[in-house]
């Protein structure tokens, strides 16, 4: 009977290890830009606390009924299927907000019908918030200003008929385009206002493309939420996290979290199971040692 008891003990230890790993997964932070549970500079934890989460494209399809704001901030390019789905959401009357590094915003602009030319980062030594790379921009509609983290300038050229991009936000007259990427002004680099956000009307909705790595991310969220709620205050905000399905660690962590943090039922259940398993392992260990 001793080999059988040993195998049972090993089985319980394996289960205990798996459950302990799950608890650590839930509790320990996972740094990841544009992630709903990341409290870092480019995380979305502030927005996540005041919005609904879409963990799959199906979630967005069910929610996108022509009256929501879909926030599509991410660090990677959208696939053709994702871009097509967002375009359809806008056509049905939703507002889609897109931002991230140039490789991410470029793809959605291409799918809408524009060819984009990257000109360089926009820096502003005057209208900033303590960092020339985090600038204050003026919104063309209404008396508002927004703050963008690591903005950049692009030229847009329509590649098919029937599409038009309306400038939505401009950097200040003191800003310049850092064409060579050395984080300082060099003679000959363009000085003056640059378009740092575009509004594209699509069907009954619109797509807002912010040419910046951060717009509703944590470090600039407090500056921009006023503009968002003033402009679209009657709409529900959905933070798209469907991209996490490609990363089991990030996706599982979202599944077990409630909107305001870890759901108590999950932690209580896991703690109870761990306690029971620990008791059984201890009992079998005692018997084995006799």
């Amino acid at each position: 009977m001793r080999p059988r008891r040993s195998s049972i003990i090993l089985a319980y230890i394996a289960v205990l290890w798996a459950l302990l790993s799950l608890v650590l997964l839930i509790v320990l932070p996972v740094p990841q830009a544009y992630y709903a549970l990341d409290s870092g500079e480019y995380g979305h934890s502030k927005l996540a606390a005041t919005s609904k989460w879409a963990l799959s494209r199906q979630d967005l399809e069910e929610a996108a009924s022509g009256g929501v704001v879909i926030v599509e901030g991410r660090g990677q390019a959208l696939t053709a299927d994702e871009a097509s789905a967002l375009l359809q959401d806008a056509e049905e009357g939703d507002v889609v907000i897109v931002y991230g590094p140039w490789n991410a915003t470029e793809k959605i602009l291409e799918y809408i019908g524009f060819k984009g030319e990257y000109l360089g980062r926009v820096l502003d030594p005057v209208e900033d918030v303590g960092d020339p790379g985090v600038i204050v921009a003026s919104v063309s509609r209404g008396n508002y200003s927004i703050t963008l983290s690591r903005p950049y300038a692009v030229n847009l050229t329509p590649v098919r008929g029937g599409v038009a991009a309306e400038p939505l936000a401009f950097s200040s007259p003191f800003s310049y385009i850092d064409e060579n990427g050395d984080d300082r002004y060099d003679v000959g680099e363009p000085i003056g206002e640059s378009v740092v956000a575009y509004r594209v009307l699509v069907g009954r909705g619109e797509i807002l493309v912010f040419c910046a790595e951060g717009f509703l991310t944590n470090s600039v969220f407090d500056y921009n939420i006023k503009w968002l709620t003033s402009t679209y205050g009657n709409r529900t905000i959905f933070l798209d996290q469907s991209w996490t399905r490609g990363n089991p660690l990030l996706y599982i962590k979202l599944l077990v979290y409630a909107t305001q943090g870890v759901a108590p039922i999950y932690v209580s259940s896991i703690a109870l199971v761990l306690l029971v398993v620990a008791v059984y392992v201890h009992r079998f260990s005692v018997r084995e040692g006799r």
Side-chain angles (χ1 to χ4, degrees):
M1 296 297 291
R2 187 176 295 271
R4 182 172 178 274
R5 288 179 179 176
S6 298
S7 62
I8 293 176
I9 293 174
L10 291 176
Y12 276 117
I13 291 176
V15 172
L16 182 62
W17 177 85
L19 290 173
L20 181 59
S21 299
L22 181 58
V23 170
L24 291 176
L25 169 66
I26 295 172
V27 175
L28 295 179
V30 178
Q32 175 66 52
Y34 309 105
Y35 186 44
L37 302 179
D38 182 11
S39 58
E41 178 181 1
Y42 287 101
H44 271 141
S45 60
K46 289 186 177 180
L47 176 61
T50 59
S51 64
K52 294 186 177 181
W53 306 350
L55 302 187
S56 67
R57 285 306 312 174
Q58 184 178 357
D59 290 345
L60 283 179
E61 291 170 3
E62 294 174 353
S65 55
V68 303
V69 174
I70 299 172
V71 177
E72 193 65 52
R74 61 165 69 191
Q76 57 192 13
L78 282 74
T79 66
D81 288 342
E82 289 173 329
S84 176
L86 288 176
L87 187 59
Q88 182 178 350
D89 291 337
E91 289 174 344
E92 294 175 354
D94 296 320
V95 176
V96 179
I97 295 177
V98 179
Y99 54 90
W102 171 233
N103 70 300
T105 54
E106 179 184 21
K107 291 303 179 182
I108 186 65
L109 286 168
E110 285 183 358
Y111 199 86
I112 296 172
F114 295 94
K115 177 178 175 56
E117 177 190 4
Y118 180 82
L119 302 179
R121 283 183 53 197
V122 176
L123 301 178
D124 194 330
V126 178
E127 295 293 335
D128 62 10
V129 290
D131 180 345
V134 183
I135 72 166
V136 177
S138 59
V139 179
S140 58
R141 294 190 300 166
N143 187 25
Y144 290 104
S145 63
I146 57 175
T147 301
L148 302 177
S149 179
R150 306 296 181 262
Y152 45 86
V154 299
N155 275 337
L156 296 183
T157 303
V159 294
R160 69 166 182 249
V163 296
E166 167 192 329
L168 176 65
F170 299 85
S171 62
S172 83
F174 307 104
S175 65
Y176 65 92
I177 299 176
D178 183 20
E179 293 181 317
N180 62 8
D182 63 355
D183 293 333
R184 65 184 182 186
Y185 177 73
D186 295 294
V187 176
E189 291 181 329
I191 301 176
E193 292 183 346
S194 294
V195 180
V196 287
Y198 292 91
R199 175 176 178 250
V200 183
L201 297 179
V202 180
R204 296 186 292 111
E206 54 189 315
I207 297 178
L208 309 181
V209 180
F210 292 87
C211 301
E213 294 185 16
F215 173 61
L216 291 173
T217 43
N218 291 329
S219 65
V220 292
F221 176 82
D222 294 335
Y223 296 107
N224 299 322
I225 189 60
K226 181 179 179 181
W227 171 84
L228 182 64
T229 54
S230 298
T231 309
Y232 304 105
N234 61 332
R235 294 175 178 246
T236 302
I237 300 174
F238 279 85
L239 174 60
D240 183 10
Q241 295 284 282
S242 60
W243 56 270
T244 62
R245 295 176 71 90
N247 187 320
L249 174 64
L250 301 180
Y251 183 65
I252 293 174
K253 195 173 176 68
L254 286 178
L255 285 178
V256 299
Y257 260 74
T259 303
Q260 300 300 326
V262 181
I265 186 63
Y266 286 112
V267 177
S268 300
S269 299
I270 293 174
L272 179 61
V273 172
L274 286 175
L275 178 61
V276 172
V277 172
V279 170
Y280 271 100
V281 170
H282 175 71
R283 288 178 60 189
F284 275 105
S285 299
V286 171
R287 291 179 183 177
E288 187 72 13
R290 291 177 180 175

